[in-house]
Amino acid sequence: MDWLGNVVFEDREIENERLELTDKEANYILGPNLTLKNCTLVLKVPARRLSLKQARFINCTFEVKQELKNYPYWITTSLKGCRFKGRLSGCDFGHWPEYGKEPEYQLGSIEDCDFSEARLDHCRFHGDDPRSLRFPKWPGFTILDPIRRIAELRDLPWPERFGSSLLSLLDQSPERRIKHPRSTMALSFYAPAEAKQSGTTEEAFKAAIAKCDFIVS
């Protein structure tokens, strides 16, 4: 449905289709009560043009043609057996019910999804067991169960700027105003982007994570 610049997919099931969300003047609204199975979704719009709400994706492929930045609303969807390609930064996936009181925030889940062809940076995975997911290989790296592992992370030789920021956000002390939510079960980063921001090298990150069995790279 296309109405006043809004392209709406809701209250139906779509199977074996290719959906191209590429019109930069349109607002794409997926959900509520939408199920997509074995579909390919091509995303080439900024985050403000994409609305996900109570949608289920089963064995779908997401081809992200324009970097999707600072987008938490994957947590309003159910993702099972999906594959992601392209660049995503500042995105949240999984079950994070404390994010909001609306019903859609109680429904998020992620299972058996493959991010091995994606580039993830500052992406968080909440609630669900991350061991069913495939994360990007080096130069990507993913910290599993980071809040519980904070003591071990503190002992690693991180580049100073990155390490101090990471440990501050993982610290759950009451006086910390900004911190990762306790639902965070995995954190994914892209070493070249982090090295540039920290004024260091990719090798410095590789050395820090080299012997950690709870960091996937």
Side-chain angles (χ1 to χ4, degrees):
M1 179 185 302
D2 189 341
W3 181 69
L4 296 179
N6 293 331
V7 180
V8 182
F9 300 89
E10 63 180 359
D11 297 320
R12 56 176 159 154
E13 183 173 306
I14 303 174
E15 193 165 359
N16 300 315
E17 295 285 347
R18 180 181 177 89
L19 305 179
E20 299 207 4
L21 283 57
T22 58
D23 184 348
K24 291 181 170 53
E25 300 301 318
N27 295 308
Y28 291 97
I29 302 170
L30 281 68
N33 305 318
L34 174 70
T35 299
L36 278 73
K37 296 181 179 179
N38 302 308
C39 291
T40 296
L41 294 93
V42 180
L43 307 181
K44 195 177 180 181
V45 291
R48 68 179 183 277
R49 296 287 186 181
L50 179 63
S51 175
L52 300 175
K53 188 174 183 179
Q54 298 183 53
R56 297 175 67 227
F57 301 95
I58 302 170
N59 298 328
C60 291
T61 297
F62 293 90
E63 298 181 359
V64 182
K65 299 297 187 179
Q66 173 180 322
E67 184 174 7
L68 189 63
K69 299 180 180 180
N70 301 322
Y71 195 75
Y73 302 113
W74 296 105
I75 62 172
T76 69
T77 69
S78 171
L79 299 161
K80 185 172 183 180
C82 295
R83 175 177 293 181
F84 287 77
K85 302 177 181 181
R87 298 180 296 164
L88 301 102
S89 59
C91 292
D92 287 274
F93 301 86
H95 189 57
W96 184 8
E98 294 81 13
Y99 188 87
K101 295 181 180 179
E102 294 81 358
E104 57 263 31
Y105 297 115
Q106 314 308 309
L107 302 176
S109 65
I110 186 167
E111 178 184 359
D112 296 326
C113 290
D114 185 351
F115 292 85
S116 60
E117 296 182 71
R119 197 195 85 175
L120 306 179
D121 193 35
H122 282 270
C123 289
R124 298 186 292 197
F125 296 83
H126 301 271
D128 301 276
D129 186 350
R131 289 175 294 183
S132 75
L133 309 179
R134 291 184 63 191
F135 293 107
K137 298 296 185 182
W138 183 260
F141 63 97
T142 301
I143 304 170
L144 304 179
D145 204 3
I147 293 173
R148 191 171 67 86
R149 297 282 192 172
I150 188 170
E152 293 159 275
L153 291 169
R154 189 175 287 116
D155 290 337
L156 298 180
W158 295 111
E160 182 177 355
R161 184 175 176 182
F162 176 87
S164 60
S165 176
L166 174 66
L167 295 172
S168 177
L169 289 172
L170 291 175
D171 189 343
Q172 297 295 303
S173 302
E175 61 270 16
R176 296 287 183 185
R177 186 174 63 86
I178 300 175
K179 52 194 173 185
H180 285 297
R182 290 186 179 275
S183 59
T184 304
M185 296 303 296
L187 288 171
S188 288
F189 298 96
Y190 184 61
E194 296 304 319
K196 183 177 181 179
Q197 186 172 352
S198 300
T200 185
T201 64
E202 297 174 37
E203 289 70 24
F205 284 90
K206 195 168 189 176
I209 68 177
K211 297 182 180 180
C212 295
D213 58 2
F214 61 92
I215 300 181
V216 179
S217 65

